[in-house]
Amino acid sequence: MVQDELTDGRRIAELLASEIDGQKRGPLGQLTVTNPDREVEGTPNGARAYDVRRLRADRDPRREPVPDEAGRLFAQVFVHEERARIELRTGLSVAVDAANEAGLRARPKAVQPPRTLVFVERGAAVKRAVDVLEAATEAADPPEN
């Protein structure tokens, strides 16, 4: 049995990106990872790793290339040394509730526009973070593009 837990922020963010791009049905099928920083390294304050954009439901990213500016900015993912942080821009209160139910730390961020921060501190928590993204996607207004 493996005793080590994955706590490398960059690797956690990579796992999350794979989960997002691997989901092509349901609410997460509308999300795509864009504008990745392939050289990102974790920092104490968090360094932006990539954006998550929400596409129109009728757009199939498997058939059409997705430009980095396509779709509404849904979230950004930041890499810390020992965790990843998701900054959601929509579905905010639902995301806090879903994160709390999933056992993930979450809190609102008082900026304009407001955001919700969700902290993913272990690789094993990525699936729970995906559940939070799904809940926020379902609660959000339809994408405009």
Side-chain angles (χ1 to χ4, degrees), residues 38-111:
R38 301 196 192 288
E39 304 298 321
V40 70
E41 294 294 329
T43 66
N45 292 329
R48 192 198 61 77
Y50 52 85
D51 299 334
V52 179
R53 293 195 174 267
R54 187 166 178 220
L55 305 174
R56 291 187 322 252
D58 63 345
R59 185 167 187 159
D60 185 350
R62 292 170 294 181
R63 295 178 190 219
E64 303 174 53
V66 179
D68 286 344
E69 70 281 357
R72 179 187 293 169
L73 185 58
F74 181 77
Q76 291 181 301
V77 175
F78 293 82
V79 175
H80 297 261
E81 294 165 345
E82 296 179 351
R83 67 179 180 209
R85 178 182 88 234
I86 305 167
E87 285 198 12
L88 286 146
R89 294 173 176 248
T90 188
L92 305 183
S93 61
V94 170
V96 170
D97 292 342
N100 289 333
E101 284 181 30
L104 298 175
R105 224 168 28 99
R107 67 175 176 83
K109 183 175 181 179
V111 295

Side-chain angles (χ1 to χ4, degrees), residues 10-28:
R10 180 178 177 162
R11 185 68 183 123
I12 292 169
E14 288 171 348
L15 288 172
L16 181 60
S18 293
E19 287 290 328
I20 293 167
D21 277 345
Q23 300 284 334
K24 296 303 173 201
R25 294 186 184 192
L28 289 183

